[in-house]
Amino acid sequence: MSNGIEHSVAYLRRRLRELATAESREAQQRFFKGPVHSLGVRTPDVRKLAGAAAREYRERQLSLGAIIDLASRLWHDGVLEERVLAVVIVSRFASQLEHRHWKRFDAWASSLSNWGETDALSAEILSPLLAHEPSLVKNLKNWTRSDSRWRRRAAAVSLAKAARRGDRHDAAFEICDRLAEDRDDMVEKAVGWLLKEISRTDPDAVLRYLLANRDRLSRTTLRYAAEKLPDEMRDRALSA
């Protein structure tokens, strides 16, 4: 990376630490209900910094490869805000992502450590990449059998935006099928979330799925999935 880049990795890391507060760090620890490597920077401040960096990279016509390289260095140390910053920067160039970039983000997924960074990666990078390259859904199917709870969660969350639009429902139901008996609470909630998003455009299909799979799905998944169903349908799904 050229020394002429104002928003270098070193600058971005230094700026995050200047924005951090003890109050925000304590709030994050309470919010995640478990240990998380965070600095204590508010998400709006992280996004504002990402926007400034992305504008510079665009003005300088930095290649997407160079931008992903920079973001990968931010991702490397496992600091929550640095990882969210990396995701948001890359997301500003999401329309340029291609099949060949999957391997880079698959490597990021190998070190996921909490639901915040998992959901950010899934929603802001993997979701648009899958929209451009639908053949990559097969990789999500492989993730459903991963030892990593975060990869399994990402397999569902990465399809939530498409499902909300009424797209990729067949793939979404297949992911739900593969995860239906997973009893990790982070995965249960993700499956319920994905089904809820499908229900916004096809509530009948979701009700049929819930009734047919009631013995495989957890109560947590059922509750999340039924949240947006019409009252009568929700009552049927939960009473079953």
Side-chain angles (χ1 to χ4, degrees), residues 5-123:
I5 298 295
E6 179 181 349
H7 290 81
S8 65
V9 172
Y11 169 82
L12 293 170
R13 284 179 168 151
R14 182 172 66 252
R15 187 73 187 109
L16 284 173
R17 282 153 181 79
E18 291 170 352
L19 293 166
T21 67
E23 181 181 16
S24 293
R25 184 164 54 252
E26 291 170 5
Q28 286 173 339
Q29 295 295 334
R30 291 194 300 270
F31 184 65
F32 280 94
K33 299 178 181 178
V36 60
H37 188 184
S38 67
L39 301 172
V41 185
R42 297 171 59 249
T43 299
D45 292 332
V46 176
R47 290 188 171 277
K48 183 177 179 180
L49 182 59
R55 283 192 297 274
E56 184 199 350
Y57 304 155
R58 188 170 285 111
E59 289 168 1
R60 289 179 176 268
Q61 298 184 329
L62 215 60
S63 71
L64 181 57
I67 293 167
I68 294 175
D69 286 343
L70 183 151
S72 293
R73 291 172 61 194
L74 286 170
W75 185 272
H76 181 267
D77 287 350
V79 179
L80 176 65
E81 291 88 348
E82 291 182 6
R83 289 189 163 190
V84 173
L85 181 63
V87 167
V88 178
I89 288 173
V90 173
S91 75
R92 301 300 175 93
F93 303 89
S95 62
Q96 301 176 37
L97 293 174
E98 299 176 356
H99 193 288
R100 61 192 173 90
H101 295 122
W102 175 271
K103 289 184 178 179
R104 301 298 301 273
F105 305 122
D106 183 78
W108 289 19
S110 295
S111 62
L112 289 167
S113 62
N114 61 70
W115 65 261
E117 61 194 32
T118 299
D119 293 0
L121 176 63
S122 300

Side-chain angles (χ1 to χ4, degrees), residues 206-226:
V206 170
L207 178 60
R208 288 195 299 271
Y209 182 84
L210 296 180
L211 294 176
N213 292 278
R214 59 189 178 187
D215 295 331
R216 302 175 62 215
L217 299 168
S218 72
R219 190 69 181 175
T220 296
T221 298
L222 284 168
R223 189 173 66 252
Y224 273 66

